[in-house]
Amino acid sequence: DAKTTQPNSMESNEEEPVHLPCNHSTISGTDYIHWYRQLPSQGPEYVIHGLTSNVNNRMASLAIAEDRKSSTLILHRATLRDAAVYYCILRDGAVQGKLTFGTGTRLTIIP
Amino acid sequence: EPEVTQTPSHQVTQMGQEVILRCVPISNHLYFYWYRQILGQKVEFLVSFYNNEISEKSEIFDDQFSVERPDGSNFTLKIRSTKLEDSAMYFCASSEWVAVKETQYFGPGTRLLVL
């Protein structure tokens, strides 16, 4: 799987938007960009995924650069419950199944 | 909302003992996974399972590990002779189909401590 680069940690104030960046300069044309998060003492949880177009769901938005070499996960209004490690993962269409987790970004929410 | 469940939540065992970790995937899912996370480290893939056979396994998943779907609901991970380095959180996951857009649903994990 192609490699992603994320900041080790970020902080944000409660009730403000959060932009979590991910660089994936070696992304291939068939790679989808997935985001998962892991709340403290819990298993990973799916957040969102996309290929080329920006995506929105009830949890977050995903903004994908036109060249697809970077993406940004946007939490529109962070709550304390959003404090977690966020993982940006590329899924190669030729490789089925497994997710390859990096170290992710640890997001701290300041009340 | 359907969820993946795992039992036990915690397990303490002596080195060399066998352990079985149990998972109940979401009922209509067909693809099953085990991952582990050593304290302070990354989540690591162990094995994927489909149609009653292993579809992929990592280097970690050696002969000491086995998986089984003994009935229509359970999915188990067995470690035959535990080592100290097997101490970790073990997560089960399931999904409806295998594709690039696939979403995996993870259980809460079993914390295994080998003494």
Side-chain angles (χ1 to χ4, degrees):
Chain A
D1 290 320
K3 186 175 170 56
T4 62
T5 304
Q6 300 178 252
N8 288 332
S9 62
M10 290 183 65
E11 287 186 350
S12 179
N13 294 319
E14 193 178 9
E15 299 186 6
E16 289 188 357
V18 182
H19 291 234
L20 296 162
C22 180
N23 287 319
H24 29 80
S25 58
T26 58
I27 191 170
S28 73
T30 55
D31 282 340
Y32 278 72
I33 302 159
H34 292 250
W35 284 81
Y36 282 74
R37 71 179 185 181
Q38 188 173 20
L39 301 172
S41 301
Q42 295 190 28
E45 173 187 35
Y46 167 79
V47 178
I48 201 166
H49 73 270
L51 181 61
T52 55
S53 304
N54 294 344
V55 184
N56 299 294
N57 67 20
R58 63 178 179 81
M59 289 180 72
S61 296
L62 177 60
I64 301 171
E66 199 169 329
D67 63 5
R68 300 208 326 125
K69 293 186 177 181
S70 65
S71 61
T72 302
L73 180 70
I74 302 165
L75 307 179
H76 294 286
R77 191 167 167 272
T79 68
L80 295 176
R81 197 197 172 275
D82 292 320
V85 179
Y86 287 79
Y87 301 99
C88 170
I89 300 171
L90 301 184
R91 290 285 308 279
D92 185 342
V95 177
Q96 65 181 22
K98 69 179 181 183
L99 293 168
T100 301
F101 290 83
T103 53
T105 297
R106 182 175 298 279
L107 176 65
T108 301
I109 304 298
I110 302 167
Chain B
E1 185 172 325
E3 58 184 20
V4 176
T5 59
Q6 291 185 242
T7 55
S9 58
H10 295 79
Q11 173 122 25
V12 180
T13 189
Q14 296 292 322
M15 189 171 57
Q17 294 296 303
E18 174 184 286
V19 295
I20 298 176
L21 309 183
R22 291 182 167 79
C23 168
V24 179
I26 294 173
S27 62
N28 63 333
H29 286 185
L30 300 177
Y31 298 88
F32 314 112
Y33 308 87
W34 284 100
Y35 294 81
R36 78 172 186 189
Q37 186 174 31
I38 296 171
L39 188 63
Q41 297 188 23
K42 301 177 189 179
V43 177
E44 301 174 288
F45 167 77
L46 291 178
V47 65
S48 58
F49 191 86
Y50 167 69
N51 200 26
N52 283 321
E53 61 182 29
I54 291 172
S55 46
E56 187 180 2
K57 60 183 181 179
S58 72
E59 291 179 355
I60 303 167
F61 194 89
D62 61 21
D63 292 343
Q64 293 299 313
F65 291 88
S66 62
V67 288
E68 192 178 34
R69 188 153 163 81
D71 53 42
S73 60
N74 289 286
F75 179 51
T76 63
L77 174 69
K78 181 192 290 187
I79 310 174
R80 287 190 185 80
S81 178
T82 50
K83 306 181 192 122
L84 296 176
E85 54 264 37
D86 294 328
S87 296
M89 280 290 284
Y90 287 81
F91 296 108
C92 172
S94 69
S95 67
E96 285 185 85
W97 64 80
V98 174
V100 178
K101 298 181 287 183
E102 170 198 18
T103 295
Q104 294 186 18
Y105 295 84
F106 286 77
T110 292
R111 184 174 296 282
L112 176 65
L113 178 60
V114 182
L115 301 176

